[in-house]
Amino acid sequence: MNRRRLLQAATGLSISLPWLEAFAAPKAPVGPTRLAFLFMPNGVNPNTWSPSGDGKNFTLSPVLKPLEPLRQDVTIFSNLRHAGADNGDGHYAKTANFLSGLQVHQTTGKDLRCGVSADQIAARHIGKNSVLPSVELAIEPTRFGIDNNVGFTQIYGGHIAWNSPTTPMPKEIHPRLAFDRLFGRSLLSTQASVLDEVSGDARDLNAYLGREDRARLDEFLTSLRALELRISRQSSQTTEDFSKLPQPAADQPKSLEEHMRLMLDLIVLAFQMNRTRVATFMFGNSVSGLDFSFLKGVEGGFHEISHHGNKPEKLAMYSRINEFHVQLYADMLQKMKSIKEGDQTLLDQSLILLGCGMRDGNGHVPINLPILVAGHAGGVRGGQHLNCPENTPFNRLHLSLLQKVGVPITSFGDSGTQPLEI
Amino acid sequence: MKMLLLLVLFPTLAFAESDFAEVEPLLQKYCYECHGTKKSKGGINLEKSKSKAAIVADFHNWQEAAAQLHAGDMPPVKAAQPSPEEARRLELWIGSVFTEARARGLKDPGPAPLRRLNRFEYDNSIRDITGFDFHPAQNFPQEGGGGEGFDNTAAVLHTSPLMLEKLLEAANASSLHLSYLPGPGFTFTAQPHQPLNDSQLLFFLEGELTCLRDAVLPQKLEVEVDIPKYMRAAWQHQRAVEKDPKANSTELAQSLKLNPVFLRKWVQFLNSKPRQAVHDTISAALKPWDDLKPSSDQAEVEAAIAALGKAYANARSKIDNAPPDEKAIHHKMLHQIKGQLMSLNHEEMKQLFTPQQDAEFTSLEQQIRLMKSLSLKSDKTASAQFSAQLRPQLEALLLRCWRKPVQAAKIAEIEAFFLKQWHQSSSLQHAAQVTFLRLLSSPRFFYRLEEQHQGAEAKGLNDFDLAVRLSYFLWSSGPDEELLTLAAKAQLGQESILRQQVARMLKDPRSRALADSFAAQWLRFREISQTHQLSNQRFPEFTPELRALFYEENAGLFHQFIQQNLPVAELFDSRMSWLNAGLAKHYGRPPLQGDHFRLVLSEDPHGGGLLSTGAFAAITSYPLRTSPVLRGNLILSQILGTPTPPPPPDAGKLPEDDHQGDGLSIRQRLEKHRANPTCANCHNRIDPLGFPLEGLDPLGRPRALAAGAPVETSSELANGERLSSLVDLKKHLRSKQELITRNLAAKMLGYAMGRELEFYDQVTLDQLDEQLKKDDCRLQSLITGIVLSYPFRHRRAQEPDGVAK
């Protein structure tokens, strides 16, 4: 059915030709699909998260109330888990593998190992055509050192995006630097002019190094190729003028809330301008002790509150913090919904997951993870509470998401070949 | 038969295997249930190590197992208990595995993988190359930690596309501080700047030359002073020459306190006939002078002087007052006179310059000459002369950036790159900046490359690699001229020279890196500057400024301890503090004046040392209250090096706040907690170390009350020893000096090597123990001991498949 017939059918009117021509003129192409994963540390209050009722007939829990205006755009999942997160410690082993589901190898650093994350898989496919294959944003710097009590390096607690089983993707936490990377030019021509020379240096060295060192140098060469690719994409794209875009201030944001909102806005803007199609964001590192006492009734650090010991007053604070995260998520989704893209919206072309690698922070429970997905890319329906059978692999959802945004894979980790029907 | 042969060939191996079988039933009965393949509590699986070799490889966990058995902490009370004989047998057996392995004299420097410069090392390296501290790496993502807990661990220094972009940005930012002049070569500037093109550069050099000349030449002739003085002297000289043709105007000038160079010029100007062309007005004004005779009297002479003075003054005033079209002629007149009196050649200028000005002048003249001839592209001599200069300049820059000499072909390649950039841009300065950018963008700059070798044996490091290990260990920066020179002479490897260098480097302010990088991570006070959270509402005074003071208090004090070469125990049991006025006020200590930090001795025995600092108090507090558990845990795991296993996942947490209504103090709650045997195991070790610090609030200020009740600072250690206050805790830690030193040595060795320690490193630690015992565990002895140790000075052979071409 062509557009004219469709329009006539819909309006029952015949329309004069000149207007129709204008209407039928080439429109902005339907945007590409986008994918983002937003990670919350420290779990959620298990009593106030899940909606009641299954399928389309569900009632949002108080904590999820901010999503009410968006309920047709959101799918709420129950009973997902990562089997690979059972072992290890309470936090690190449930953070670094949030997007891969594989076991996180206990180490203080010498043999880091966890799976390649879903966002990075997506970046290799749908990220190919944007300036940056993916962006990794956060608000806290990775903590230094190792957690001596459990024998895990803090690197695990600070990274959900893994480019290879041994290489985490570092995050940008400064809004202005993130902006510059997304919307500025990547390199000056002088900088670009030395790339050939330095890759020559690296090749000389490659012949000279041992196996492990060559793997390290490979990281450098791979990064170099990524950068060269980026430069060539940048120059092949029409030079858009981003100088009119509102820029975040050069200072660090004054409040936690402002910081979080700015980073989420940047993701929306980057998606809208097609600077990237894949993003991850961490609301905090695992074991984050961020101070949420700016919220009414909350006193103390997030991590300590998450160990609530079933005390009602702490559970109430815990819910309040969870609700705040959901509120920022909802506000981000609203923005995406207000951005038109062809006859759809940016949200229609995106999938945005919000979740955590554990449920109840008190006992670091790794089952029935709190997971939400918003958006309709690839025809995701939304508007339902998908109460899965107990212990459904979370990777089945990752498989669905990847397939919906157009990644041609048939399984992901322990997903099996059956993606979740969403 | 085959078995027998194996036994003959590998007697120890076979013995070891049978030996393991002896204890396996015990392990099965008491350990594997929780720490086996099926269930690995705390991530510990003992079941996977079924031979002595495997146990040695997993030595961290097995050593811990022996320690737990020894303390009776494992198996836990609720599990099946071994008989005392069984426990002892198992413990001794584990011990014997290690004793046996050590007795074999393990000598293994361990792996030394490729290390990328971390953020701190990058900044420092650039600071020491350029001489300016402008933090080009400040936007690098925070590196996580690994190995023994440090962010200089090779294994965690990844390079991702983002990281590479940051590296290139930092290289670019650094390159803008480079300047280049043909002759002096590469120099650096405090501020970044865009390069000049060659014609601008020539203009700039000529300007410099003029400035230098103007600095020593009088700007104008003073009609009242200069003209009469010099003319009288010239007259006097003329008379003297008539008597003695060899008469010397210089002596005359000196006796009259005149400048001999200028007097000579005046003599030449006034007395030479015919005179060089001057304007008619001036000629007319000189007529009275020219008409003087030897017999003329002083009045005639003065009249002649006044005539020139008048003409000169007249011309000068006309410059200001004459109609515009007449001004030029007066300018010209003045210039003619000044030109004759002040245009000095280099020889004449030399007499006016200081030696330094003279050198500068000479160099500028050469540069200008070279720039001029280089601008004629056909001038082959100039190009050759330039290349001859450039080559050693590049070599020196390369050595500073890449920290070791490179092959001639590489230097030629860099030189060709420089020349190509120059010819494309017609800007030497641009070429220099891009060349510097190219050196800093190379993996040879931001990775630390060591010479590799093949074969079975480890080899001593070459001197350049040793210089690099040394400088990054002590300074977190590249080697300086002195180290590079010693390396070039192949002398650095000598023990006596190494000792001297360590002493020199620790005296150098750059050794502060050991506080900022090593200690700040070991004792975790780096958290104070950034990540640690206390409630803003409860502690509004915990501002970024106070955080910065807290940081300096700890880092500065640690650096002082190193520079004064104090025993390790002094770090914690000391009365020394590092304070300024603001901090003294914060702690309520006797007032100090000024923002600068200084050593202060505390009257009160509670004060002083690294335990009673604001940073220590704050990073071991929750947002609203102190935590004896966090404080005890930091002492136990970081300082004593004997961490407890993690708490079970569902362990309770105490309330957020000590301002709570249920009437229980933190102590009472913790006592309740310890009544639970699962918790008691660890908390009996942790809590007693934390309580003596309860007298300090979350910001390190002394307090007598917490939540309205008197603070209780006394505690009882698991062995029954009572600690009644912080003073007792300090004494207790002093009594543990050897344990603390062993832990510190392990941390520092891991830091120096950039890797996690392995079993063979225990041999080095044993040796350090022995040496340090004799020397009261002094900090510099420890550092020197690590530098002189086998792993620090050796490198393993390359793995077989890394065959070099």
Side-chain angles (χ1 to χ4, degrees), chain A residues 69-73 268 330-341 344-348 376:
Chain A
L70 293 146
R71 63 179 280 143
Q72 291 312 316
D73 301 305
V268 175
D331 292 348
M332 173 192 190
L333 301 177
Q334 284 291 7
K335 267 184 204 148
M336 296 179 72
K337 207 172 171 173
S338 71
I339 295 168
K340 292 276 175 268
E341 204 160 73
Q344 298 194 314
T345 71
L346 180 56
L347 186 58
D348 292 332
H376 302 283

Side-chain angles (χ1 to χ4, degrees), chain B residues 6 9 16 29 38 60 78 173 237 285 307 347 397 438 457 584 600 602 629 732 784:
Chain B
L6 268 176
L9 285 176
K29 198 164 162 193
K38 269 201 201 118
H60 286 289
K78 62 180 178 190
H237 178 63
E347 275 314 300
L397 187 68
R438 183 239 175 283
E457 298 287 311
V600 176
S602 169
V629 179
H732 171 71
T784 312

Side-chain angles (χ1 to χ4, degrees), chain A residues 106 108-110 142 148-149 153 166 170 172 181 191 201 204 208 211 213 216 219 223 230 293 301 304 362, chain B residues 114 142 145-147 154 158-160 165-166 168 410 438 442 451 537 622 638 646 649 656 758 799 801:
Chain A
Q106 183 189 23
T108 62
K110 72 173 170 183
T142 301
N148 260 337
N149 292 98
T153 162
T166 55
E172 188 63 80
R181 182 159 189 256
Q191 284 167 286
D201 287 355
D204 295 350
Y208 163 85
R211 179 170 52 86
D213 288 350
R216 195 40 54 96
E219 284 183 356
S223 304
R230 181 178 162 193
S293 53
E304 320 319 323
N362 193 45
Chain B
L114 199 58
Q142 174 78 56
H158 296 283
T159 305
S160 58
E165 285 172 41
K166 302 275 183 188
L168 296 176
K410 200 74 193 175
R438 183 239 175 283
S442 170
E451 185 186 322
Q537 272 110 331
Y622 287 120
Q638 296 299 110
E656 281 306 313
E758 302 293 347
E799 287 165 59
D801 67 330

Side-chain angles (χ1 to χ4, degrees), chain B residues 60 272 282 319 535 625 635 671 700 773:
Chain B
H60 286 289
S272 57
I282 301 297
I319 286 175
S535 162
R625 65 165 170 89
I635 294 174
E671 275 164 6
K773 261 183 220 163

